Amino acid sequence: MKDTPGWASPGSAPSDGQEPGASHPAEPADRPGGTQSADQPAAHPEGPGTKWSTEQPPPAQWSAPTNPQNPAQPPAPPPPPVPGWGPRPPGGYGGPTGPGGYGGYGYGAPGGWGGPPPAAKPGVIPLRPLGVGEILDGAVSTMRTHWRTVLGISLAVAIVVEVIVVLLQGLVLNDMTGTTALTDRSATLDEQTRAMGDVMRNSGVVALIALIGTIVATALLTTVTSRAVLGRPVTTGEAWRDARPQMLRLFGLIFFVALIAAGVLVVGALPGLLVGGGAGSALSALGLIGALVGVVWLLVRFSLASPALMLEKQGIKKALGRSAKLVRGSWWRVFGIQLLSLFIANMVAMIVAVPFVLLGGILSDGGLGAFADGSSELGWTYLIVSGVGSVIGSLITFPITAGVTVLLYIDQRIRREALDLDLARAAGVQGYGNQAPGPLPGS
């Protein structure tokens, strides 16, 4: 990737141009008020501090003003003010060589000082700190602008995931899972506990397969989104070639974070398990609640590790450290944006998938009533029809969640490390200097 900015150069900031407060050239010696040289005439003796030369032009060379003003006539009123505070000086006020001043955010927009000039937008987002709506819009714009690549990646991953899930449920998991005890009022506690364990095991296997698919889709869509920020197209083959070297590290990162989360939950429940009895159950419940809060805090803290690993070509440990550094001081903002994006994506996916689930229940043995009360098993018809709905829903969830995560990562680097300057130079935007950012390591 020769057209991608130097993601692996954190902390880059503009250093060219004259800084505010820099010394200016000295005044020429022949100007009034300048330093008097040795060969100049002495000051006129009329008064101290005067610098007039003794050689004055002859009186004939002076002429009276062409329009002498009548002292009795009041001065003409000033012209009405124009909008803004007047034109800006060339190059802005006291900043490097960016449009309008520092990093493109100086004073003096065209036409006045009413605000900063509009930021450059070579791709799906403007190159400045982003708002919540701009991050969501950037994820949707990426899907809309590069729909062939985005939908191709999402569709391929979703189809593979759903085929594996349907085959496992139809051939293996359904025979190992019995859910009738959950709706049978005469079932014993052991039977209901065993049925609940079967359901959790089934859901866990499905969730693990879906997680693997999400990892692959995120890795490929990260490259697409990073190119979309620069306004550069990317094909599925290019996205795969760029993501493939980091794929195993990304798997290791996700499973390492999941292992940490599981360890925190075990530590939270362990004191109650050791105590036992009613008091132990209450203590375990409180411990799990506290551990769940800790898990959420850790997941948000490490939520930007995936794009850091993919774009900066770093290892697992360094990617976790980069995410923690970028999220520090903005935890609630990152948490809120990611929660909002997950809610929107899953609501849209659920709206798409629910009709397929109902249709699958209607087409199942016994109809929708038997499917609702649990007396009908999950047949192939239901699995296939509901799987189609899941595939369509994944076409929405994969691009939005991956796009929001990547754009959050870029936004945090713009806010902390002035990454917008590197992005603008990589995109070829005028006015950001001629120094091109270096290519990605390993690209």
Side-chain angles (χ1 to χ4, degrees):
M1 286 177 58
K2 300 301 183 184
D3 56 353
T4 308
W7 302 103
S9 302
S12 60
S15 58
D16 54 346
Q18 185 178 359
E19 296 294 336
S23 60
H24 297 279
E27 292 289 341
D30 56 349
R31 292 186 181 179
T35 305
Q36 185 176 1
S37 60
D39 56 352
Q40 287 179 329
H44 197 276
E46 289 185 28
T50 57
K51 300 292 182 179
W52 298 107
S53 173
T54 56
E55 300 179 2
Q56 296 294 327
Q61 296 184 4
W62 292 93
S63 60
T66 56
N67 294 320
Q69 186 174 358
N70 187 1
Q73 183 180 1
V82 296
W85 288 359
R88 63 170 182 170
Y93 280 90
T97 57
Y102 282 102
Y105 307 124
Y107 301 99
W113 291 359
K121 189 179 180 182
V124 295
I125 59 170
L127 299 183
R128 55 170 171 75
L130 304 174
V132 178
E134 290 171 326
I135 292 177
L136 296 174
D137 180 71
V140 176
S141 297
T142 302
M143 182 170 54
R144 185 175 62 250
T145 305
H146 307 282
W147 63 271
R148 288 186 178 89
T149 304
V150 172
L151 295 184
I153 293 173
S154 302
L155 183 62
V157 174
I159 288 177
V160 172
V161 168
E162 288 303 322
V163 167
I164 296 175
V165 169
V166 168
L167 291 177
L168 280 177
Q169 287 182 330
L171 298 176
V172 180
L173 297 178
N174 282 350
D175 296 336
M176 300 172 56
T177 304
T179 59
T180 55
L182 296 177
T183 57
D184 188 3
R185 296 182 179 179
S186 62
T188 62
L189 180 60
D190 292 338
E191 292 175 344
Q192 292 181 349
T193 303
R194 194 160 46 246
M196 183 63 68
D198 293 340
V199 171
M200 292 180 64
R201 182 181 62 242
N202 190 344
S203 301
V205 173
V206 173
L208 179 61
I209 298 172
L211 177 62
I212 295 174
T214 303
I215 294 172
V216 176
T218 300
L220 298 175
L221 293 174
T222 296
T223 300
V224 178
T225 306
S226 65
R227 294 284 190 92
V229 170
L230 301 176
R232 307 282 174 83
V234 58
T235 63
T236 304
E238 291 174 345
W240 169 250
R241 285 192 297 270
D242 186 72
R244 183 175 56 188
Q246 295 292 102
M247 194 70 74
L248 290 180
R249 290 183 178 179
L250 183 60
F251 275 98
L253 172 68
I254 299 299
F255 286 114
F256 181 70
V257 173
L259 185 63
I260 292 177
V264 173
L265 292 175
V266 169
V267 170
L270 187 60
L273 296 176
L274 294 177
V275 172
S281 299
L283 185 60
S284 295
L286 292 176
L288 284 175
I289 293 175
L292 186 61
V293 174
V295 166
V296 172
W297 182 81
L298 284 174
L299 292 179
V300 175
R301 183 177 176 85
F302 297 145
S303 61
L304 303 183
S306 173
L309 184 141
M310 296 301 300
L311 295 177
E312 299 181 19
K313 309 299 183 185
Q314 299 197 19
I316 296 176
K317 183 178 179 181
K318 290 185 178 180
L320 293 174
R322 286 287 289 143
S323 177
K325 179 181 178 181
L326 292 174
V327 175
R328 185 182 301 120
S330 303
W331 189 94
W332 284 107
R333 181 174 182 271
V334 175
F335 169 73
I337 293 176
Q338 293 209 345
L339 183 63
L340 179 61
S341 66
L342 286 175
F343 176 77
I344 293 174
N346 285 281
M347 283 297 295
V348 175
M350 186 177 65
I351 292 173
V352 173
V354 164
F356 288 90
V357 173
L358 297 177
L359 180 61
I362 293 172
L363 299 177
S364 299
D365 296 337
L368 188 60
F371 174 77
D373 59 19
S375 60
S376 176
E377 296 183 356
L378 300 179
W380 287 103
T381 302
Y382 169 79
L383 293 176
I384 293 174
V385 173
S386 62
V388 172
S390 298
V391 169
I392 298 176
S394 298
L395 296 179
I396 301 172
T397 57
F398 284 164
I400 291 180
T401 54
V404 167
T405 302
V406 175
L407 294 179
L408 260 176
Y409 161 82
I410 294 175
D411 174 63
Q412 289 300 113
R413 286 198 61 181
I414 287 176
R415 293 172 181 269
R416 295 176 179 269
E417 301 169 358
L419 182 66
D420 52 329
L421 300 177
D422 288 334
L423 293 174
R425 284 192 288 262
V429 179
Q430 298 296 326
Y432 284 84
N434 297 322
Q435 181 182 1
L440 281 173
S443 59

